[in-house]
Amino acid sequence: MLSLDSIRQAEARIRPLVHRTPVITSRTFDEAAGRRVFFKCENFQRAGAFKMRGATNKILSLSGEERARGVVAFSSGNHAQAVALASRDAGVRAVIVMPTDAPRTKMAATKGYGAEVVTYDRQREDREEVARRLSEREGLTVVPPFDDYEVIAGQGTCALELFEDVPDLEALLTPCGGGGLFAGASTAAKALRTGVRCFPVESELSDDTRQSLMKGERVTIPPPATIADGMRTQTPGALTFPVLRRNAEDVLLVSEDEIVEALRFILFRMKILVEPTGAVAAAAALFGKLPRGVGRVGVLLSGGNVDPEALARFVHPSLA
Amino acid sequence: MLSLDSIRQAEARIRPLVHRTPVITSRTFDEAAGRRVFFKCENFQRAGAFKMRGATNKILSLSGEERARGVVAFSSGNHAQAVALASRDAGVRAVIVMPTDAPRTKMAATKGYGAEVVTYDRQREDREEVARRLSEREGLTVVPPFDDYEVIAGQGTCALELFEDVPDLEALLTPCGGGGLFAGASTAAKALRTGVRCFPVESELSDDTRQSLMKGERVTIPPPATIADGMRTQTPGALTFPVLRRNAEDVLLVSEDEIVEALRFILFRMKILVEPTGAVAAAAALFGKLPRGVGRVGVLLSGGNVDPEALARFVHPSLA
């Protein structure tokens, strides 16, 4: 189960292996946003994103026997690199299932952390099926990207740190893909500060969580074409959805242009690099998506892994 | 005169108006560089560069009468924005002399800080002459970019902070244009820590300081074509040169490619944005330009102001 206790246990477990990331502020951003914003910088996290927290907590929670057999994950993004690095830290074998057409840089980074990469044909095979087969044949434990209580508790530790550093926040904004980060962070936030208002933020092109909350049940959308690749999930998780229902006051939506504008603002004015998904919650603050009267806001900058080609396009579209 | 005392006085004077910037470390950088590096992040400074320190100290050191008349500076870069913002802070009129073909974004930023911009034709007029005329006609005090003891003492405050945070550094690396940053920072460093080894770093294309130190007198080079626009000065300053002779163990040189590589490393691995000049000292650490046996190194990341077009070219050259 998910609780402040399980998040505190996760925090104690992963502390030696993750960075306590800084909370930064920017007068320029505050002036533009019209409120006081506190950025939790998970782009500075090991492997470049908050995913390191959940992966580490999951792997350190395995039994000795499970660890001896190893783990498997399917991802071509930050979760892959996090599972690879967390496994190396723990001395555990990791197999990562990626599509044959995954970006070379991401494959190289995952292998660089010592993981084995198994590719599959995106057109002809189902990645979960491939991972399940591997899991059964070789006894590997699956490390899910979000729908797992140990993973969710791990992600929640970033809110624990944020509220320790800035106890009097009135609201918390997180990007929302499968909902793991929001579920963990909002659970910690609400336990630490009564009445704090929690908002998951999605791209307009990837509003499965918003649709699901409006309908009262998990809705599956077609593969979304958003540049925020961390939110290309098509439906909230079975475990995260009830937490979203309980803790989300509203789902905020931002456009693709607003995401790129926020990324550029953070890069050129604040001098730090976030990936598009990492800019989503900041975009909601910057472009007035919050209800009136919310003063001090915590914003999760979830990650900073961007390909050079993609970054060149974001910063100077006419070169693309 | 320049001394630890004058730098401490500058520190007390400017403290309310500049950021105490963080010192950060990166395991990834250390592994690549083969030594322990401590980055002083002046890219997070107000107006985006260490120049804010010197400009603020100079303006706060003026008499009441001088302040009432105002200041003038010639620059199209970070010094312009620093003088503009420092003047606004102090309620002082600022006139900035820029070439007619200066980048629009820099002109806009300077005007955005409330300064008056006077343009001149780079082909037909001399900018120092234009500034001197303005100074005489309107009684404005010139704020020089480096060759001024108040400016140099202001720049030195960043080393004061760095050695407070990390007292046991063995070496200090700074980029070197006119020498103001190196003169101030090395004076503070040597006063605070006996035997610390100080190295100014230049682009191979802009080695006026190296040539001058070898010859024992100030050498003037043709306008250098380096991408590090903060080092396009053609000769060391009259005031900075004697300090360079006293404090510089050696001048380290880096290539243009090494500067871009360092910028990309800092951006994609450490997730922070520096401009080419800001990456010069880091490039020297990354590409083994230091003598053997130097362990703990302080590196000044001097600034983070980059145009989007330029950044797109640096991060993905084939798009240019």
Side-chain angles (χ1 to χ4, degrees):
Chain A
M1 267 302 297
L2 181 67
S3 65
L4 181 60
D5 265 1
S6 69
I7 298 169
R8 284 201 198 283
Q9 284 160 21
E11 201 275 330
R13 200 176 282 129
I14 70 178
R15 192 184 300 144
L17 295 167
V18 301
H19 289 320
R20 179 172 183 125
T21 53
V23 175
I24 66 166
T25 57
S26 158
R27 286 190 229 183
T28 320
F29 191 97
D30 289 354
E31 278 169 27
R35 40 175 62 89
R36 198 99 175 80
V37 177
F38 299 82
F39 295 97
K40 178 67 173 168
C41 293
E42 289 295 299
N43 55 326
F44 297 145
Q45 187 51 263
R46 291 183 71 207
F50 74 94
K51 293 282 189 183
M52 188 63 190
R53 296 174 182 268
T56 301
N57 191 46
K58 177 68 178 179
I59 288 164
L60 295 186
S61 304
L62 298 178
S63 69
E65 204 186 309
E66 288 167 325
R67 286 210 218 186
R69 285 198 299 260
V71 298
V72 61
F74 40 90
S75 165
S76 54
N78 291 335
H79 180 59
Q81 293 175 57
V83 171
L85 182 56
S87 299
R88 189 179 73 180
D89 287 344
V92 165
R93 177 189 175 204
V95 179
I96 311 293
V97 180
M98 285 189 175
T100 42
D101 60 350
R104 298 285 129 200
T105 50
K106 303 235 165 173
M107 252 190 224
T110 306
K111 286 180 185 167
Y113 290 135
E116 301 159 41
V117 172
V118 170
T119 57
Y120 71 98
D121 183 332
R122 204 201 282 269
Q123 311 303 322
R124 296 198 346 249
E125 294 169 283
D126 178 65
R127 66 177 188 178
E128 301 197 29
E129 189 46 43
V130 175
R132 204 170 302 120
R133 223 163 40 224
L134 271 165
S135 163
E136 281 165 17
R137 202 168 53 205
E138 314 197 16
L140 305 173
T141 303
V142 176
V143 182
F146 51 84
D147 224 13
D148 178 287
Y149 283 131
E150 302 299 347
V151 171
I152 297 170
Q155 321 302 30
T157 59
C158 60
L160 220 54
E161 294 174 5
L162 172 61
F163 279 80
E164 254 176 46
D165 288 356
V166 194
D168 58 346
L169 294 174
E170 296 164 37
L172 177 66
L173 265 56
T174 82
C176 185
L181 176 60
F182 179 83
S186 65
T187 298
K190 289 198 169 274
L192 292 169
R193 183 160 167 83
T194 319
V196 69
R197 302 168 74 174
C198 296
F199 301 91
V201 188
E202 289 186 314
S203 159
E204 287 170 355
L205 300 185
S206 182
D207 64 344
D208 54 303
T209 300
R210 188 181 172 88
Q211 286 190 35
S212 299
L213 288 176
M214 286 177 69
K215 200 162 175 202
E217 62 182 42
R218 292 163 69 207
V219 170
T220 299
I221 61 169
T226 174
I227 54 165
D229 54 7
M231 24 192 76
R232 290 196 194 132
T233 45
Q234 295 171 247
T235 184
L239 303 183
T240 58
F241 186 60
V243 187
L244 280 156
R245 288 188 80 168
R246 195 161 61 235
N247 290 351
E249 175 172 329
D250 193 7
V251 179
L252 310 180
L253 297 183
V254 292
S255 71
E256 300 290 297
D257 283 353
E258 287 167 342
I259 296 170
V260 174
E261 271 294 300
L263 183 158
R264 290 171 54 104
F265 194 105
I266 293 167
L267 183 62
F268 290 112
R269 310 294 291 267
M270 296 165 57
K271 319 295 183 192
I272 70 173
L273 178 64
V274 294
E275 61 190 79
T277 306
V280 162
L286 190 57
F287 293 104
K289 312 289 177 170
L290 274 164
R292 282 167 193 282
V294 178
R296 294 163 71 81
V297 182
V299 164
L300 265 157
L301 301 179
S302 58
N305 294 326
V306 197
D307 278 334
E309 299 75 10
L311 184 66
R313 283 196 309 274
F314 299 145
V315 303
H316 194 55
S318 72
L319 285 181
Chain B
M1 267 302 295
L2 180 67
S3 64
L4 181 61
D5 264 2
S6 70
I7 298 168
R8 285 203 197 279
Q9 284 159 22
E11 200 277 328
R13 202 176 281 129
I14 70 178
R15 190 183 302 146
L17 295 168
V18 301
H19 289 320
R20 180 173 181 123
T21 53
V23 176
I24 67 167
T25 56
S26 158
R27 286 190 231 182
T28 318
F29 191 97
D30 288 355
E31 277 168 29
R35 38 175 62 89
R36 197 99 175 81
V37 177
F38 298 83
F39 295 98
K40 177 68 173 168
C41 293
E42 288 295 299
N43 56 327
F44 297 146
Q45 188 50 269
R46 292 183 70 206
F50 73 93
K51 292 282 187 183
M52 188 64 190
R53 297 175 182 266
T56 301
N57 191 46
K58 175 70 177 178
I59 289 165
L60 295 185
S61 303
L62 298 178
S63 70
E65 204 184 306
E66 287 167 325
R67 286 211 219 185
R69 286 198 300 262
V71 298
V72 60
F74 40 90
S75 166
S76 54
N78 291 334
H79 181 59
Q81 293 175 57
V83 172
L85 182 56
S87 299
R88 189 179 74 180
D89 287 344
V92 165
R93 177 188 175 205
V95 179
I96 310 293
V97 180
M98 284 188 175
T100 42
D101 59 351
R104 299 285 127 199
T105 50
K106 303 236 164 172
M107 254 191 221
T110 306
K111 286 180 183 166
Y113 289 136
E116 301 159 41
V117 172
V118 170
T119 57
Y120 70 98
D121 184 331
R122 203 201 281 267
Q123 311 304 323
R124 296 198 345 252
E125 292 169 285
D126 176 66
R127 67 178 189 176
E128 300 197 28
E129 187 46 45
V130 175
R132 205 171 300 121
R133 222 163 44 224
L134 270 164
S135 163
E136 282 164 16
R137 201 168 55 205
E138 313 196 18
L140 306 174
T141 303
V142 176
V143 182
F146 52 84
D147 223 13
D148 178 287
Y149 284 130
E150 302 298 348
V151 171
I152 297 170
Q155 320 303 31
T157 60
C158 60
L160 221 52
E161 295 174 6
L162 172 60
F163 279 80
E164 256 176 45
D165 288 357
V166 194
D168 58 348
L169 293 175
E170 297 163 36
L172 176 67
L173 265 58
T174 82
C176 185
L181 175 61
F182 180 83
S186 63
T187 299
K190 288 197 169 276
L192 292 170
R193 182 160 169 83
T194 319
V196 69
R197 302 167 73 173
C198 297
F199 301 91
V201 188
E202 289 187 314
S203 159
E204 286 170 355
L205 300 186
S206 181
D207 63 344
D208 54 302
T209 299
R210 188 183 172 85
Q211 288 189 34
S212 299
L213 288 177
M214 287 177 70
K215 202 165 174 197
E217 62 181 44
R218 293 163 69 208
V219 171
T220 298
I221 60 169
T226 174
I227 54 165
D229 54 7
M231 20 194 78
R232 290 197 194 131
T233 43
Q234 295 169 248
T235 183
L239 303 185
T240 57
F241 185 60
V243 187
L244 280 156
R245 288 188 79 167
R246 197 162 56 236
N247 290 349
E249 174 172 328
D250 192 9
V251 179
L252 309 181
L253 297 184
V254 293
S255 72
E256 300 289 296
D257 282 352
E258 287 169 341
I259 296 170
V260 174
E261 272 294 300
L263 183 156
R264 289 170 55 103
F265 194 105
I266 293 167
L267 183 62
F268 290 113
R269 309 294 291 267
M270 296 165 55
K271 319 296 182 191
I272 71 173
L273 179 64
V274 293
E275 60 190 81
T277 305
V280 162
L286 191 56
F287 293 104
K289 312 289 178 171
L290 275 164
R292 281 171 192 280
V294 178
R296 295 163 69 82
V297 182
V299 163
L300 266 156
L301 301 179
S302 58
N305 295 326
V306 198
D307 279 334
E309 298 75 11
L311 184 65
R313 283 196 308 274
F314 299 145
V315 302
H316 194 56
S318 72
L319 285 179

